[in-house]
Amino acid sequence: MENRVILIIRNRKFTIQLQNILRFIALDKRSAAIDFQHDLDAKFQLLKTQPMMGRMSQYADDENVRDLIHNGYTIVYEIKDEQTIRILEVFKWQDK
């Protein structure tokens, strides 16, 4: 079995949305924001070995676009090819 490197690319929209979410969580409890980030990073590591773990996205008509649920937030990602996953956005489902 060959070792392949999976690259996770976080696009600008996702990065800005995540920063806003972390700031909001930190207003209440800084350690909760740190835990949120840590747990999310762990899920992204899991995506490298299980890219299909998210459900087919409710927001795109493409089986390579998936939704990953994390603490009430939806993370939309796209499996670009066998080596690349692009994280597109993160939001509360109520806000979409």
Side-chain angles (χ1 to χ4, degrees):
M1 189 157 124
E2 85 180 53
N3 288 333
R4 59 184 181 146
V5 175
I6 303 288
L7 181 63
I8 300 224
I9 299 170
R10 296 163 173 90
N11 76 4
R12 182 172 165 77
K13 181 177 184 178
F14 167 79
T15 302
I16 291 167
Q17 289 171 322
L18 181 60
Q19 288 172 346
N20 291 334
I21 289 166
L22 292 173
R23 274 192 216 106
F24 178 76
I25 293 170
L27 289 174
D28 185 46
K29 188 173 182 185
R30 187 170 189 273
S31 64
I34 293 167
D35 290 345
F36 184 96
Q37 177 70 63
H38 180 265
D39 294 345
L40 185 59
D41 288 341
K43 278 195 177 173
F44 288 165
Q45 288 303 310
L46 203 56
L47 264 182
K48 289 181 176 186
T49 58
Q50 301 174 39
M52 300 297 280
M53 72 186 228
R55 68 182 183 209
M56 269 188 65
S57 183
Q58 296 178 336
Y59 308 98
D61 189 22
D62 180 343
E63 74 177 43
N64 289 323
V65 178
R66 319 287 292 178
D67 293 341
L68 184 65
I69 308 303
H70 178 68
N71 291 2
Y73 289 86
T74 301
I75 296 108
V76 180
Y77 68 96
E78 178 182 21
I79 302 166
K80 294 295 286 178
D81 53 44
E82 290 183 7
Q83 294 148 346
T84 311
I85 295 172
R86 184 181 314 259
I87 310 297
L88 302 174
E89 61 180 318
V90 56
F91 53 85
K92 281 274 199 187
W93 66 269
Q94 300 96 323
D95 297 337
K96 192 68 172 173

